[in-house]
Amino acid sequence: MRDYELYELGDIQLQSGNILPNAVLAYKTYGTLNEEKNNVIVYPTWFAGLHTDNEWLIGTGKALDPEKYFIIIPNMLGNGLSSSPSNTPAPYHQANFPLISIYDNVLLQHQLVTQKFGISKIALVVGWSLGAVQTFQWGASYPDMVERIAPFGGTAMTRPHAKVVFEGMIAALQADSSWKNGFYTQQPKVGLAAMGRVYAAWGFSQAYYLEQLYQQEGYETLEEYLVDYWDQVFLSFDANDLISMLRTGITGNISANATYDGDFELALSKITARALVMPGSTDLFFPPEDNNYDALHMPNARFLPIESKWGHCAGIGQHEPDSEFIDKNLKMFLLE
């Protein structure tokens, strides 16, 4: 029995111009929408994440308290629950699945929020990694609707270096002989494991490995950590789904739409919501320097790095000190 709902969107014209037929957005809600419909938090998922992976930040007494807020977690397109290469019928199945942009994701989430729930004001949009990119997009696309944004571990535009890393992950997966140009009959497990090895080098900081902090996770040696964790981490996902989400990340840019016509600084300047921008201090995907640039061009932004040796994964909810820092600052931010 599934623990989420499906919002049927019909045939959707994507930003690319392609049509995605019978599109669906998988989502889960927590808490109760109040009569004024002003206690809403939107919390998009991230690359290779499901709504359940966001739940570490939700709970009684936490910033995202379902006793106070109505929290909506929309699953990113391509993650296997919302419309994805793995669940879309021919002719848009597998490698034929169209390119999905961050803008597409947020546009459809907006339809869910407004048409399904009749919501016109959002107290907070929050997200990590590609969820943070969606958070920035919400602020740029719907400035009059969003009161606060709190992106952590993600930038308003994917910079060239991050694109190279994402392309490297795709190349590692596609090198598997089972790949068959995306029309495989069985999952390319060797490629999926190779993708994990590539991610491992960028997901955490140099200090994380030098100080053997993976031992806190129960792995005695580096080899054990790589084999038992990273070689396995993507095996539960469909290969085309992962590539679809990475392509979304590669093209991430809040100004890549008709509203801003590629003017990145203009798009940032139009994010009038109060913003709390929290990069991981040692993030190699989305380094704090990039987030500092984002924040400097936003009128109401505060830049607050998460001081951590966990790199990008400071925001994944697995390291308690980082999680407590994020929760504490979100709690104060919601009171502002």
Side-chain angles (χ1 to χ4, degrees):
M1 182 177 177
R2 69 171 189 240
D3 69 336
Y4 58 90
E5 303 296 324
L6 292 176
Y7 184 58
E8 297 181 357
L9 295 150
D11 295 349
I12 295 298
Q13 182 167 12
L14 300 169
Q15 198 177 12
S16 65
N18 291 317
I19 300 296
L20 181 60
N22 301 315
V24 295
L25 195 63
Y27 69 94
K28 186 173 181 179
T29 65
Y30 308 75
T32 303
L33 184 63
N34 63 15
E35 286 189 17
E36 296 81 7
K37 296 188 177 183
N38 63 359
N39 66 333
V40 179
I41 293 176
V42 178
Y43 184 14
T45 61
W46 35 273
F47 166 69
L50 307 178
H51 57 277
T52 49
D53 295 304
N54 281 8
E55 290 178 340
W56 66 270
L57 197 51
I58 298 172
T60 302
K62 293 186 175 183
L64 274 59
D65 189 336
E67 294 185 15
K68 295 171 60 178
Y69 296 103
F70 181 61
I71 303 155
I72 306 170
I73 301 184
N75 284 269
M76 184 175 170
L77 294 168
N79 82 341
L81 301 184
S82 293
S83 288
S84 305
S86 64
N87 62 22
T88 299
Y92 297 102
H93 65 309
Q94 293 192 297
N96 285 339
F97 192 75
L99 174 67
I100 305 290
S101 68
I102 292 291
Y103 182 86
D104 290 327
N105 273 282
V106 172
L107 180 67
L108 301 186
Q109 292 166 20
H110 179 263
Q111 289 185 32
L112 169 70
V113 169
T114 57
Q115 297 175 17
K116 171 69 177 178
F117 295 108
I119 292 164
S120 59
K121 283 289 182 183
I122 297 174
L124 172 70
V125 183
V126 58
W128 172 69
S129 193
L130 292 191
V133 188
Q134 293 169 73
T135 297
F136 278 111
Q137 188 70 65
W138 263 101
S141 291
Y142 305 104
D144 296 331
M145 184 178 187
V146 178
E147 296 177 346
R148 301 173 190 81
I149 63 169
F152 59 101
T155 53
M157 176 175 65
T158 304
R159 268 63 169 194
H161 185 263
K163 293 182 181 183
V164 172
V165 176
F166 294 158
E167 291 284 5
M169 293 170 65
I170 292 172
L173 194 162
Q174 293 180 339
D176 190 329
S177 60
S178 300
W179 167 244
K180 300 186 186 303
N181 295 317
F183 295 98
Y184 42 82
T185 54
Q186 58 183 11
Q187 292 295 327
K189 292 185 178 180
V190 173
L192 290 166
M195 176 184 274
R197 290 277 180 134
V198 174
Y199 192 107
W202 296 102
F204 291 87
S205 73
Q206 294 94 334
Y208 178 88
Y209 288 104
L210 183 64
E211 298 176 24
Q212 300 178 314
L213 298 182
Y214 49 82
Q215 291 182 343
Q216 297 177 12
E217 301 300 297
Y219 302 98
E220 288 299 316
T221 67
L222 178 60
E223 182 66 13
E224 182 183 342
Y225 179 53
L226 293 174
V227 171
D228 292 349
Y229 182 74
W230 283 109
D231 286 359
Q232 314 298 320
V233 71
F234 294 128
L235 295 185
S236 62
F237 268 89
D238 175 83
N240 279 310
D241 288 355
L242 292 169
I243 289 176
S244 176
M245 288 183 283
L246 285 171
R247 293 287 183 212
T248 300
I250 287 167
T251 58
N253 181 343
I254 63 168
S255 66
N257 50 69
T259 302
Y260 297 112
D261 196 27
D263 190 332
F264 182 55
E265 287 73 20
L266 175 63
L268 288 170
S269 74
K270 296 299 183 181
I271 300 177
T272 53
R274 290 194 296 277
L276 179 62
V277 181
M278 293 188 288
S281 63
T282 57
D283 194 327
L284 301 174
F285 279 125
F286 302 108
E289 295 83 2
D290 293 341
N291 264 152
N292 189 40
Y293 184 91
D294 297 341
L296 285 172
H297 288 81
M298 296 160 62
N300 296 305
R302 181 154 56 98
F303 176 70
L304 183 66
I306 306 162
E307 295 298 332
S308 172
K309 295 175 181 177
W310 276 58
H312 182 56
C313 290
I316 204 169
Q318 293 178 351
H319 187 226
E320 194 60 31
D322 299 335
S323 300
E324 289 176 355
F325 179 90
I326 294 165
D327 181 67
K328 179 185 73 172
N329 284 284
L330 281 177
K331 196 176 294 184
M332 291 188 293
F333 184 50
L334 280 163
L335 294 174
E336 293 177 3

